[in-house]
Amino acid sequence: METRPKMTKYEERSPERVQQRTTVAPRVDVYENANELLLLCDVPGATQESVSIQLDKGLLTIEANRKDEPTGSSLVAEYRPSDYARVFSVPQGIDAAKIDAHLSGGVLRLRLPKSEALKPRRIEVRSQ
Amino acid sequence: MLRQLGDYDGTFSMLEELRRRMDRMWQDWDADEPGFSTQLSSSQAWPRVNVFDTGTALVLKADIPGVSEKDLQISINQGALSMSGERKSDAPQGYAVHRQERGVVNFSRAFALPVPVDTDKTTATIKDGVLTVTLAKAPEAQPRKIGVVAR
């Protein structure tokens, strides 16, 4: 009687195949104040070099690759380390040159400063 | 005689099919209860873990973005590994919230270890939001090569 599922890895059976990588959408918080939009994004396993952020035609693309982990025989497999990808549409008034990204402890902090035109402005009322 | 056996073939293949189906049923059943048993049903647990057996050690990996080493406790007690901790809120003050998918989590998980481990050689590190716990197997649980002697 077979007690264990077959553990032969796909890569071992056909080493020359093109491997499809799995991608998941990372979890994101979006905050806004008068000066900027702030995105917090969970990308555990991603390194500074592997993250790429792009703003093009009002679309903000966040991508991050994750290295394959060296494995032994698997005892528990509750998740599969995957690459990250997510796209947001952002308002036109974001100053693309001043976008700032910071990665720490698997959390990506992305600051999208608003351009001057979008910021709230106080108009002085004059009386004559 | 041979011909008689041939008559039974249909019955045997039916039994064989039944056996195969039963095996498949047990396989599904076994899949829910791996040797490295976990307390909670794995679909609800946080963080999700992967455990590998590298031969000389057990390696546990878990994605814990935003959890600092100060907020994480790991202990081994009587063949059970437990980890608990907290992922604190990192919501900034004075901002309007548009979307909030990353929650505050208080977590606690325990795992029954399938082999005795050497607690002195156990290490835990967090890198890029990934926790790696390396549990060296106790000397008696290390794989051992048995030399074959030809006489």
Side-chain angles (χ1 to χ4, degrees):
Chain A
M1 194 195 269
E2 195 183 78
T3 53
R4 240 161 210 274
K6 290 206 171 56
M7 298 298 275
T8 325
K9 281 192 191 146
Y10 183 74
E11 304 94 88
E12 286 168 11
R13 278 188 281 127
S14 51
E16 300 299 326
R17 288 279 181 84
V18 173
Q19 290 285 307
Q20 184 191 329
R21 299 184 63 90
T22 52
T23 309
V24 294
R27 290 179 176 238
V28 170
D29 288 353
V30 183
Y31 302 97
E32 180 184 0
N33 72 359
N35 299 318
E36 62 179 12
L37 283 166
L38 175 66
L39 256 82
L40 301 183
C41 185
D42 280 349
V43 286
T47 56
Q48 195 191 334
E49 305 87 59
S50 76
V51 177
S52 94
I53 300 158
Q54 201 183 329
L55 179 63
D56 184 27
K57 298 188 183 81
L59 292 181
L60 176 77
T61 308
I62 302 170
E63 282 174 327
N65 294 327
R66 220 177 152 155
K67 267 193 211 127
D68 291 326
E69 292 170 5
T71 59
S73 62
S74 177
L75 296 179
V76 176
E78 291 180 348
Y79 72 98
R80 185 178 190 178
S82 310
D83 293 346
Y84 303 100
R86 199 154 173 185
V87 183
F88 294 92
S89 66
V90 294
Q92 288 297 317
I94 293 298
D95 198 341
K98 287 186 189 156
I99 292 177
D100 169 57
H102 180 78
L103 182 68
S104 136
V107 180
L108 181 71
R109 286 178 87 89
L110 196 58
R111 286 175 189 281
L112 306 159
K114 294 179 186 174
S115 60
E116 291 302 319
L118 220 68
K119 283 184 186 170
R121 191 165 299 169
R122 192 179 169 85
I123 316 253
E124 295 292 326
V125 181
R126 289 181 295 173
S127 62
Q128 285 182 331
Chain B
M1 184 66 193
L2 274 172
R3 204 166 156 170
Q4 261 182 346
L5 271 177
D7 289 339
Y8 283 114
D9 264 6
T11 320
F12 280 132
S13 71
M14 209 170 74
L15 283 172
E16 181 65 20
E17 177 58 28
L18 182 67
R19 193 186 69 87
R20 225 175 284 137
R21 285 192 189 187
M22 290 295 276
D23 278 0
R24 219 174 297 147
M25 198 180 84
W26 289 118
Q27 258 179 21
D28 292 347
W29 181 274
D30 286 342
D32 290 340
E33 293 176 25
F36 195 100
S37 65
T38 59
Q39 246 183 0
L40 302 160
S41 89
S42 44
S43 59
Q44 289 161 5
W46 199 93
R48 302 274 180 93
V49 300
N50 281 346
V51 182
F52 305 103
D53 185 343
T54 63
T56 56
L58 301 175
V59 179
L60 180 146
K61 296 216 168 225
D63 282 358
I64 49 165
V67 177
S68 74
E69 67 276 12
K70 294 188 292 291
D71 297 328
L72 180 68
Q73 290 87 40
I74 299 173
S75 63
I76 300 175
N77 189 12
Q78 298 193 336
L81 171 78
S82 43
M83 60 178 176
S84 61
E86 185 185 7
R87 187 176 122 133
K88 291 186 175 146
S89 166
D90 50 7
Q93 293 294 312
Y95 281 75
V97 179
H98 285 304
R99 186 185 279 274
Q100 209 157 31
E101 299 168 353
R102 309 162 55 253
V104 172
V105 194
N106 277 300
F107 61 92
S108 174
R109 293 198 70 181
F111 309 94
L113 298 172
V115 293
V117 296
D118 190 340
T119 47
D120 294 335
K121 286 188 191 154
T122 296
T123 58
T125 56
I126 300 180
K127 186 175 179 289
D128 298 325
V130 180
L131 170 72
T132 306
V133 184
T134 309
L135 304 136
K137 290 184 189 174
E140 66 263 29
Q142 295 279 355
R144 201 158 295 167
K145 220 175 199 170
I146 313 291
V148 179
V149 181
R151 282 175 209 253

